[in-house]
Amino acid sequence: MDAGFTAEQDEIRRTLRELLRKHCGPEELRTALDAPAGHDPALWTALADRLGLPGLALPEAYGGVGCSITELALAAEESGRVLAPSPLLATCVLAAPLILALGTEAQRSALLPRLASGALTAALAVPGTALATALALTGDNGGEWAGGGRAGGVQARRVGEGWRLYGEAGQVLDGHSAGLLVVAAHTGGFARSRTLLFLVPGDAAGVVRVRQTALDATRPQARLQLRDVGAELLGDDDGDVLGALCSLGDTAAAVLACEAVGAADRVLERTVEYVKQREQFGRAIGSFQAVKHRLADVYVQVQAARSAAYYAAWAAVSGERVGGLALAQALEALRGAAAEGIQLHGGIGFTWEHEAHLYFKRASGDELLFGPVHRLRAHAADAARLFGPGLEVTV
């Protein structure tokens, strides 16, 4: 592994940081959160036009930039620093790779150029609250999560040459505003049950979308109801949907780990700046040994998480699956950095007007969506057979 960045990677990071500094400050962030889409469409357009960010990891043949998941992860680190609300995760990290991996040539040609240009956004809709399970981050994604029979999930049935979907999906990232929905559904009945992915326009008849109040407002979520909705099968019946979701989970975890590291690094910077300015007993509180020790511990934790996240982003290109472990370490570092930031900011750190609580909510929200830290680690240990046969970790 080459630990140095290429000139192209440095340029991506520099340009993106500069753009986000200008257009995604604290005031702009709060304004975007209150917008109907949950993000600033003008910022998304700027990211697409100036950086080609939506198509960064898509092939040039489909209008993308042709970079790898590593570059996308580094871009996510910069967006994580400012908690930039955007369709980046839902569209570029979750939905687009599935279309690229499973879609027919006609589907790729029709959809990927629009996704790469930023003109179209997409969302992955997984039944219930099973996103972490579907992505095989906290357990094996055997497919049971997609259906649930009459008790719930999303069901698909063939009608003539097409498909009809009915059911409900919760915690759909950007599901209230996405122009395209990639829906995981259960089909085939009990004896021949299987999980398939379907393409549904966001404004299709029978789709009811409601934006939900989420713990982390910077990650807008929606609840989708599919009431006998017409859908197009993604790819064909023989596609390895569960395998594609499993691979997607590892790369998504690597991107999320880099994003969390960016957020942790920024909240640590803000805290260090503050303790240098705030005075107590006639001196800056940052000069007290106890405060130095606490911040030194956070710094070590963030740097260790950064190393793990960078390695996961690099390893994802070669198919080595370490994203879950990197995500666990990064979320733990972010939670610790945000908690210390709130404490060391004193009374102001607990106020709604300050940014510190947003970073803590990002860590907590991501654990709810993608799996608690202990479950991410337990599944990684089981997958590596760390404890041998019959000694699997249970949580």
Side-chain angles (χ1 to χ4, degrees), residues 231-283:
E232 177 186 353
L233 178 65
L234 178 62
D236 52 50
D237 290 350
D238 299 328
D240 184 10
V241 172
L242 297 181
L245 286 170
C246 184
S247 297
L248 173 66
D250 188 75
T251 56
V255 174
L256 286 164
C258 285
E259 185 185 68
V261 165
D265 188 58
R266 179 55 182 157
V267 75
L268 176 59
E269 285 181 4
R270 291 289 303 273
T271 304
V272 170
E273 291 171 2
Y274 183 75
V275 299
K276 288 180 179 179
Q277 299 171 3
R278 180 187 170 193
E279 293 189 357
Q280 191 71 281
F281 306 112
R283 56 191 284 194

Side-chain angles (χ1 to χ4, degrees), residues 166-194:
Y166 58 98
E168 183 174 300
Q171 295 183 331
V172 181
L173 295 172
D174 291 321
H176 63 294
S177 61
L180 176 69
L181 304 173
V182 181
V183 183
H186 183 268
T187 185
F190 180 79
R192 301 174 60 187
S193 62
R194 54 189 172 150

Side-chain angles (χ1 to χ4, degrees), residues 43-381:
L43 175 60
W44 182 242
T45 300
L47 292 173
D49 293 343
R50 292 185 55 180
L51 291 176
L53 186 60
L56 192 62
L58 290 176
E60 295 182 26
Y62 299 111
V65 179
C67 293
S68 69
I69 194 68
T70 303
E71 283 72 24
L72 185 59
L74 294 177
E77 181 184 1
E78 296 304 321
S79 70
R81 286 179 60 85
V82 295
L83 302 180
S86 77
L88 179 67
L89 176 60
T91 299
C92 308
V93 180
L94 297 178
L98 288 174
I99 296 174
L100 180 62
L102 298 174
T104 64
E105 184 57 36
Q107 289 170 335
R108 294 174 185 170
S109 299
L111 297 174
L112 291 180
R114 296 172 62 197
L115 292 172
S117 69
L120 178 66
T121 58
L124 173 62
V126 171
T129 58
L131 182 58
T133 303
L135 297 176
L137 291 175
T138 57
D140 294 331
N141 61 346
E144 297 83 0
W145 48 268
R150 295 182 179 180
V154 177
Q155 307 292 322
R157 60 187 175 89
R158 189 187 292 274
V159 178
E161 296 298 322
W163 292 83
R164 310 294 295 186
L165 305 182
Y166 58 98
E168 183 174 300
Q171 295 183 331
V172 181
L173 295 172
D174 291 321
H176 63 294
S177 61
L180 176 69
L181 304 173
V182 181
V183 183
H186 183 268
T187 185
F190 180 79
R192 301 174 60 187
S193 62
R194 54 189 172 150
T195 301
L196 297 175
L197 295 177
F198 297 88
L199 301 174
V200 178
D203 57 357
V207 176
V208 179
R209 310 194 284 182
V210 180
R211 183 176 176 180
Q212 296 179 301
T213 300
L215 174 64
D216 178 12
T218 65
R219 289 214 196 281
Q221 300 176 29
R223 184 180 69 254
L224 305 183
Q225 291 183 347
L226 304 165
R227 302 174 177 176
D228 198 27
V229 177
E232 177 186 353
L233 178 65
L234 178 62
D236 52 50
D237 290 350
D238 299 328
D240 184 10
V241 172
L242 297 181
L245 286 170
C246 184
S247 297
L248 173 66
D250 188 75
T251 56
V255 174
L256 286 164
C258 285
E259 185 185 68
V261 165
D265 188 58
R266 179 55 182 157
V267 75
L268 176 59
E269 285 181 4
R270 291 289 303 273
T271 304
V272 170
E273 291 171 2
Y274 183 75
V275 299
K276 288 180 179 179
Q277 299 171 3
R278 180 187 170 193
E279 293 189 357
Q280 191 71 281
F281 306 112
R283 56 191 284 194
I285 64 171
S287 64
F288 293 110
Q289 189 176 43
V291 174
K292 291 180 180 179
H293 286 179
R294 291 171 69 172
L295 290 176
D297 288 342
V298 172
Y299 175 79
V300 171
Q301 195 172 28
V302 171
Q303 292 305 314
R306 172 176 279 117
S307 296
Y310 284 174
Y311 180 80
W314 173 82
V317 179
S318 59
E320 184 180 354
R321 297 185 175 182
V322 293
L325 279 175
L327 178 58
Q329 190 159 354
L331 290 180
E332 192 171 58
L334 175 54
R335 180 185 282 270
E340 289 289 359
I342 291 172
Q343 290 289 327
L344 293 176
H345 272 83
I348 193 175
F350 288 85
T351 62
W352 185 258
E353 290 75 17
H354 200 271
E355 296 178 83
H357 70 96
L358 295 176
Y359 288 89
F360 190 83
K361 288 176 179 177
R362 168 59 66 87
S364 301
D366 276 3
E367 282 200 62
L368 290 173
L369 280 169
F370 302 102
V373 167
H374 67 279
R375 291 194 62 190
L376 288 167
R377 286 175 172 154
H379 178 58

